[in-house]
Amino acid sequence: KAGVTQTPRYLIKTRGQQVTLSCSPISGHRSVSWYQQTPGQGLQFLFEYFSETQRNKGNFPGRFSGRQFSNSRSEMNVSTLELGDSALYLCASSQDLAGGPQLAKNIQYFGAGTRLSVL
Amino acid sequence: AQSVTQPDIHITVSEGASLELRCNYSYGATPYLFWYVQSPGQGLQLLLKYFSGDTLVQGIKGFEAEFKRSQSSFNLRKPSVHWSDAAEYFCAVVGLQGAQKLVFGQGTRLTINP
């Protein structure tokens, strides 16, 4: 099975622009989560999508948004880019085997990430 | 709220030596715990996980971890490291509420001396 695929791998933007990152989950996985990784803040949860609906959200401003398509592929968008948005953005997918507390047992598999540089 | 602390930012060990990376978590109940490894320029690879049961869990690449409830710890160990183990290691926790939200520690960078 192919792993989680993120495109593009590298991206350079300027302040004020917007950017869209793409994530294709492992085949059969229905949940997609996004994380931001920076040297200062480490790995932080952005949001999670399941069945085209945002199921969980982290503490990020509204400039960060996402969506999920019917084939489980997901995109995240950052509008009005700031210098501080420079980061590695990681996508993870999981099978979502069951709901409730068992949901937490779904292992998340990560892609290689998209490195965003904002100049 | 859950939190994870990895007290060691950077550890250097010699090839062939044993390794222990520390992880402490804060959570009201028994958490689900994970160790991930990240090589430069790469994503995260799952090394092992703890959900319940036997407190000593085995993972890939010869790693193991022990869950100690009394110490709120989930330390990662390897009896003999290889140069290819040089990477950054992250401990993570997810709550039992069912959210798919991993909370990560700050990571420990492992350097291997030849």
Side-chain angles (χ1 to χ4, degrees):
Chain A
K1 262 188 189 179
V4 178
T5 303
Q6 291 189 245
T7 56
R9 289 294 310 276
Y10 303 93
L11 212 45
I12 300 175
K13 293 286 186 180
T14 56
R15 277 185 302 173
Q17 287 187 308
Q18 74 164 15
V19 68
T20 299
L21 313 181
S22 180
C23 173
S24 293
I26 293 171
S27 177
H29 285 196
R30 302 189 298 166
S31 167
V32 174
S33 300
W34 289 89
Y35 294 82
Q36 182 196 62
Q37 185 178 23
T38 60
Q41 298 299 314
L43 280 152
Q44 294 185 288
F45 173 79
L46 280 156
F47 30 64
E48 183 227 351
Y49 284 86
F50 173 74
S51 287
E52 303 178 61
T53 301
Q54 187 180 87
R55 186 161 62 178
N56 287 293
K57 188 177 187 305
N59 297 323
F60 278 81
R63 299 186 297 107
F64 292 82
S65 63
R67 59 177 175 168
Q68 186 180 34
F69 302 93
S70 58
N71 61 357
S72 295
R73 190 177 71 84
S74 176
E75 290 180 347
M76 69 163 280
N77 184 277
V78 188
S79 62
T80 319
L81 283 166
E82 301 176 0
L83 295 178
D85 297 332
S86 294
L88 181 66
Y89 290 88
L90 293 165
C91 165
S93 75
S94 65
Q95 279 186 287
D96 195 64
L97 294 171
Q102 295 303 311
L103 182 62
K105 288 187 176 181
N106 282 270
I107 296 169
Q108 296 186 37
Y109 296 90
F110 285 80
T114 294
R115 171 76 62 185
L116 172 65
S117 298
V118 182
L119 307 178
Chain B
Q2 307 104 291
S3 67
V4 176
T5 302
Q6 293 180 246
D8 305 306
I9 295 174
H10 184 204
I11 283 183
T12 300
V13 299
S14 298
E15 191 167 14
S18 64
L19 171 71
E20 182 168 28
L21 302 182
R22 296 183 291 164
C23 171
N24 293 97
Y25 67 89
S26 172
Y27 186 64
T30 301
Y32 294 155
L33 294 157
F34 306 82
W35 274 99
Y36 283 87
V37 60
Q38 184 178 36
S39 298
Q42 298 299 314
L44 302 173
Q45 181 183 22
L46 179 69
L47 285 175
L48 46 77
K49 62 190 182 294
Y50 173 78
F51 290 155
S52 64
D54 193 351
T55 56
L56 185 64
V57 294
Q58 303 296 319
I60 62 171
K61 304 185 180 188
F63 286 93
E64 66 178 26
E66 186 171 13
F67 171 66
K68 292 186 177 180
R69 183 192 304 273
S70 61
Q71 297 176 21
S72 297
S73 70
F74 187 56
N75 294 348
L76 181 72
R77 301 194 295 246
K78 187 169 184 177
S80 176
V81 298
H82 186 262
W83 64 267
S84 60
D85 293 324
E88 188 142 23
Y89 292 80
F90 293 92
C91 181
V93 65
V94 64
L96 295 184
Q97 296 85 353
Q100 283 274 275
K101 174 186 172 182
L102 284 167
V103 175
F104 287 90
Q106 284 295 101
T108 297
R109 185 161 62 91
L110 176 64
T111 299
I112 308 294
N113 280 339

